[in-house]
Coordinates of all heavy atoms in Angstrom, one line a residue:
F1327 N 0.8 -1.1 0.0 CA 0.0 0.0 0.0 C 0.9 1.2 0.0 O 2.1 1.2 0.4 CB -0.9 0.0 1.2 CG -1.9 -1.2 1.1 CD1 -1.5 -2.5 1.5 CD2 -3.2 -1.0 0.7 CE1 -2.4 -3.5 1.4 CE2 -4.1 -2.0 0.6 CZ -3.8 -3.3 1.0
H1328 N 0.4 2.3 -0.4 CA 1.1 3.6 -0.6 C 1.9 4.0 0.6 O 3.1 3.8 0.8 CB 0.4 4.7 -1.2 CG 1.1 5.8 -1.6 ND1 2.3 5.7 -2.4 CD2 1.0 7.2 -1.3 CE1 2.8 6.9 -2.7 NE2 2.0 7.8 -2.0
M1329 N 1.3 4.6 1.6 CA 2.0 5.1 2.8 C 1.0 5.5 3.9 O -0.2 5.7 3.6 CB 2.8 6.3 2.4 CG 2.1 7.6 2.1 SD 3.2 9.0 1.8 CE 3.9 8.6 0.3
Y1330 N 1.6 5.5 5.1 CA 0.8 6.0 6.2 C 1.5 7.3 6.8 O 2.7 7.5 6.7 CB 0.8 5.0 7.3 CG -0.1 3.8 7.2 CD1 0.4 2.5 7.0 CD2 -1.5 4.0 7.1 CE1 -0.4 1.4 6.8 CE2 -2.3 2.9 6.9 CZ -1.7 1.6 6.7 OH -2.6 0.5 6.5
K1331 N 0.7 8.2 7.4 CA 1.2 9.4 8.0 C 1.1 9.1 9.5 O 0.0 8.8 10.0 CB 0.4 10.6 7.6 CG 0.9 11.9 8.2 CD 0.1 13.1 7.7 CE 0.4 13.4 6.3 NZ -0.1 14.7 5.8
I1332 N 2.2 9.3 10.2 CA 2.3 9.1 11.7 C 2.9 10.3 12.3 O 3.9 10.8 11.9 CB 3.2 7.8 12.0 CG1 2.5 6.5 11.3 CG2 3.2 7.6 13.5 CD1 3.4 5.4 11.5
S1333 N 2.2 10.8 13.4 CA 2.6 12.0 14.1 C 3.4 11.5 15.4 O 2.9 10.5 16.0 CB 1.5 12.9 14.4 OG 1.9 14.0 15.2
V1334 N 4.5 12.0 15.7 CA 5.3 11.6 16.8 C 5.8 12.9 17.6 O 5.7 14.0 17.0 CB 6.6 10.8 16.4 CG1 6.2 9.5 15.7 CG2 7.5 11.6 15.5
D1335 N 6.2 12.7 18.8 CA 6.6 13.9 19.5 C 8.0 14.3 19.0 O 8.7 13.7 18.2 CB 6.8 13.6 21.1 CG 7.7 12.5 21.5 OD1 8.9 12.5 20.8 OD2 7.4 11.7 22.3
K1336 N 8.5 15.5 19.6 CA 9.7 16.2 19.0 C 10.9 15.4 19.2 O 11.7 15.2 18.2 CB 9.9 17.5 19.8 CG 10.9 18.4 19.2 CD 11.0 19.7 20.0 CE 12.2 20.6 19.5 NZ 12.2 21.9 20.1
D1337 N 11.1 14.8 20.4 CA 12.3 14.0 20.6 C 12.4 12.8 19.7 O 13.5 12.4 19.2 CB 12.3 13.5 22.1 CG 12.5 14.8 23.1 OD1 13.2 15.8 22.7 OD2 12.2 14.6 24.2
L1338 N 11.3 12.1 19.6 CA 11.2 10.9 18.7 C 11.5 11.4 17.3 O 12.2 10.5 16.5 CB 10.0 10.1 18.9 CG 9.8 8.8 18.0 CD1 10.9 7.9 18.3 CD2 8.5 8.1 18.4
F1339 N 10.9 12.4 16.9 CA 11.1 12.9 15.5 C 12.6 13.1 15.2 O 13.1 12.7 14.2 CB 10.4 14.2 15.3 CG 10.4 14.7 13.9 CD1 9.4 14.3 13.0 CD2 11.4 15.6 13.5 CE1 9.5 14.8 11.6 CE2 11.5 16.1 12.2 CZ 10.4 15.7 11.2
K1340 N 13.3 13.7 16.2 CA 14.7 14.0 16.1 C 15.5 12.7 16.1 O 16.5 12.6 15.3 CB 15.1 14.9 17.2 CG 16.6 15.4 17.0 CD 17.0 16.5 18.0 CE 16.4 17.8 17.6 NZ 16.9 18.9 18.4
D1341 N 15.2 11.8 16.9 CA 15.8 10.5 16.9 C 15.7 9.8 15.6 O 16.6 9.1 15.1 CB 15.3 9.6 18.0 CG 15.8 10.0 19.4 OD1 16.7 10.8 19.5 OD2 15.3 9.5 20.4
I1342 N 14.5 9.9 14.9 CA 14.3 9.2 13.6 C 15.2 9.9 12.6 O 15.9 9.4 11.7 CB 12.8 9.2 13.3 CG1 12.1 8.3 14.2 CG2 12.6 8.8 11.8 CD1 10.6 8.4 14.0
Q1343 N 15.2 11.3 12.7 CA 15.9 12.1 11.7 C 17.4 11.8 11.8 O 18.1 11.8 10.7 CB 15.6 13.6 12.1 CG 16.1 14.6 11.1 CD 15.7 16.0 11.5 OE1 15.6 16.3 12.7 NE2 15.6 16.9 10.5
F1344 N 17.9 11.6 12.9 CA 19.3 11.3 13.2 C 19.7 9.8 13.2 O 20.8 9.5 13.6 CB 19.9 12.0 14.4 CG 20.0 13.5 14.2 CD1 19.2 14.4 15.0 CD2 21.0 14.1 13.5 CE1 19.3 15.7 14.8 CE2 21.2 15.5 13.3 CZ 20.3 16.3 14.0
K1345 N 18.8 9.0 12.8 CA 19.0 7.6 12.7 C 19.3 7.0 14.0 O 20.1 5.9 14.1 CB 20.2 7.3 11.7 CG 19.9 7.7 10.3 CD 18.8 6.9 9.7 CE 18.6 7.1 8.2 NZ 17.7 6.3 7.5
K1346 N 18.8 7.6 15.1 CA 19.0 6.9 16.5 C 17.9 5.8 16.7 O 18.1 5.0 17.6 CB 19.0 8.0 17.5 CG 20.3 8.9 17.5 CD 20.2 9.9 18.6 CE 21.3 10.8 18.6 NZ 21.3 11.8 19.7
T1347 N 16.8 6.0 16.0 CA 15.7 5.2 16.2 C 15.5 4.4 14.8 O 15.3 5.1 13.8 CB 14.4 5.8 16.7 OG1 14.6 6.4 18.0 CG2 13.2 5.0 16.7
H1348 N 15.4 3.2 14.8 CA 15.2 2.4 13.6 C 14.0 1.7 13.6 O 13.6 1.1 12.5 CB 16.4 1.4 13.4 CG 17.8 2.1 13.3 ND1 18.2 2.7 12.2 CD2 18.7 2.3 14.2 CE1 19.4 3.2 12.5 NE2 19.7 2.9 13.7
I1349 N 13.3 1.6 14.7 CA 12.0 0.9 14.7 C 11.0 1.7 15.4 O 11.2 2.2 16.6 CB 12.0 -0.4 15.5 CG1 13.1 -1.4 14.9 CG2 10.7 -1.2 15.6 CD1 13.3 -2.7 15.7
L1350 N 9.9 2.1 14.8 CA 8.9 3.0 15.3 C 7.7 2.0 15.9 O 7.2 1.2 15.1 CB 8.3 3.9 14.2 CG 7.1 4.8 14.6 CD1 7.5 5.8 15.8 CD2 6.7 5.6 13.4
E1351 N 7.4 2.2 17.1 CA 6.4 1.3 17.7 C 5.1 2.0 17.9 O 5.1 3.1 18.3 CB 7.0 0.8 19.2 CG 8.3 0.1 19.1 CD 8.8 -0.3 20.5 OE1 8.3 0.3 21.5 OE2 9.7 -1.1 20.6
K1352 N 4.0 1.2 17.6 CA 2.7 1.7 17.8 C 1.8 0.8 18.6 O 1.9 -0.5 18.3 CB 2.0 2.1 16.5 CG 2.7 3.1 15.6 CD 2.8 4.4 16.3 CE 1.5 5.2 16.5 NZ 1.7 6.5 17.0
E1353 N 1.1 1.2 19.5 CA 0.2 0.2 20.2 C -0.8 -0.3 19.3 O -1.3 0.2 18.4 CB -0.5 1.0 21.4 CG 0.5 1.5 22.5 CD -0.3 2.2 23.7 OE1 -1.5 2.3 23.5 OE2 0.4 2.6 24.6
T1354 N -1.3 -1.5 19.7 CA -2.3 -2.3 18.9 C -3.7 -1.7 19.2 O -4.5 -2.4 19.7 CB -2.2 -3.8 19.2 OG1 -2.4 -4.0 20.6 CG2 -0.9 -4.3 18.6
S1355 N -3.9 -0.5 18.9 CA -5.2 0.2 19.1 C -6.2 -0.4 18.1 O -5.8 -1.0 17.1 CB -5.1 1.7 19.0 OG -4.6 2.0 17.7
K1356 N -7.4 0.0 18.2 CA -8.4 -0.5 17.2 C -8.1 0.2 15.9 O -8.3 -0.4 14.8 CB -9.9 0.0 17.7 CG -10.4 -0.9 18.8 CD -11.8 -0.5 19.2 CE -12.4 -1.3 20.3 NZ -13.7 -1.0 20.7
Y1357 N -7.7 1.4 15.9 CA -7.3 2.1 14.6 C -6.2 1.3 13.9 O -6.4 1.0 12.7 CB -6.8 3.4 14.9 CG -6.3 4.2 13.7 CD1 -7.1 4.7 12.7 CD2 -4.9 4.2 13.5 CE1 -6.6 5.4 11.5 CE2 -4.4 4.8 12.3 CZ -5.2 5.4 11.4 OH -4.7 5.9 10.2
W1358 N -5.1 0.9 14.5 CA -4.1 0.3 13.8 C -4.4 -1.2 13.5 O -3.9 -1.7 12.4 CB -2.8 0.3 14.7 CG -2.1 1.7 14.6 CD1 -2.0 2.6 15.6 CD2 -1.5 2.3 13.5 NE1 -1.4 3.7 15.2 CE2 -1.1 3.6 13.8 CE3 -1.4 1.9 12.1 CZ2 -0.5 4.4 12.8 CZ3 -0.9 2.8 11.2 CH2 -0.4 4.0 11.6
Q1359 N -5.2 -1.8 14.3 CA -5.7 -3.2 13.9 C -6.5 -3.1 12.6 O -6.3 -3.9 11.8 CB -6.5 -3.7 15.1 CG -5.7 -4.1 16.3 CD -6.6 -4.8 17.4 OE1 -7.5 -5.5 17.1 NE2 -6.3 -4.3 18.6
K1360 N -7.4 -2.0 12.6 CA -8.2 -1.9 11.4 C -7.3 -1.6 10.1 O -7.5 -2.1 9.0 CB -9.2 -0.8 11.6 CG -10.1 -0.5 10.4 CD -11.1 0.6 10.7 CE -12.0 0.9 9.5 NZ -12.9 2.1 9.7
E1361 N -6.3 -0.7 10.4 CA -5.5 -0.2 9.3 C -4.5 -1.3 8.8 O -4.3 -1.5 7.6 CB -4.7 0.9 9.7 CG -5.5 2.2 9.8 CD -5.9 2.7 8.4 OE1 -5.2 2.6 7.5 OE2 -7.1 3.2 8.4
L1362 N -4.0 -2.2 9.7 CA -2.9 -3.0 9.4 C -3.2 -4.5 9.2 O -2.6 -5.2 8.5 CB -1.8 -2.9 10.4 CG -1.0 -1.6 10.5 CD1 -0.1 -1.6 11.7 CD2 -0.4 -1.2 9.2
L1363 N -4.3 -4.9 9.9 CA -4.6 -6.4 9.8 C -5.5 -6.7 8.7 O -6.6 -6.0 8.4 CB -5.2 -6.8 11.2 CG -4.3 -6.7 12.3 CD1 -5.1 -7.2 13.6 CD2 -3.0 -7.5 12.2
E1364 N -5.1 -7.6 7.9 CA -6.0 -8.0 6.7 C -6.4 -9.5 6.9 O -5.6 -10.4 7.0 CB -5.0 -7.9 5.5 CG -5.7 -8.2 4.2 CD -4.8 -8.0 3.0 OE1 -3.6 -8.1 3.1 OE2 -5.3 -7.6 1.9
P1365 N -7.7 -9.7 7.0 CA -8.3 -11.0 7.2 C -8.2 -11.9 6.0 O -8.5 -11.4 4.9 CB -9.7 -10.7 7.7 CG -10.0 -9.4 7.1 CD -8.8 -8.6 7.0

């Protein structure tokens, strides 16, 4: 699929920008279950 838009806080944004964070974690909320799980 094309892409998702994810909003993060300032510190995490900077860590991603500077390659300090390589894995972005998201809780298994109803929204993400609906978006990501394909039955």
Side-chain angles (χ1 to χ4, degrees):
F1327 293 80
H1328 186 51
M1329 68 175 71
Y1330 286 115
K1331 183 179 285 188
I1332 301 175
S1333 180
V1334 299
D1335 63 41
K1336 184 178 179 180
D1337 290 337
L1338 182 54
F1339 186 89
K1340 187 171 284 189
D1341 285 346
I1342 293 171
Q1343 190 178 27
F1344 285 108
K1345 297 290 188 179
K1346 292 181 180 178
T1347 295
H1348 301 284
I1349 300 174
L1350 179 60
E1351 299 178 345
K1352 300 300 290 184
E1353 292 181 0
T1354 54
S1355 62
K1356 288 183 179 179
Y1357 171 80
W1358 284 113
Q1359 288 181 41
K1360 180 181 176 183
E1361 287 294 318
L1362 295 177
L1363 295 181
E1364 187 175 29

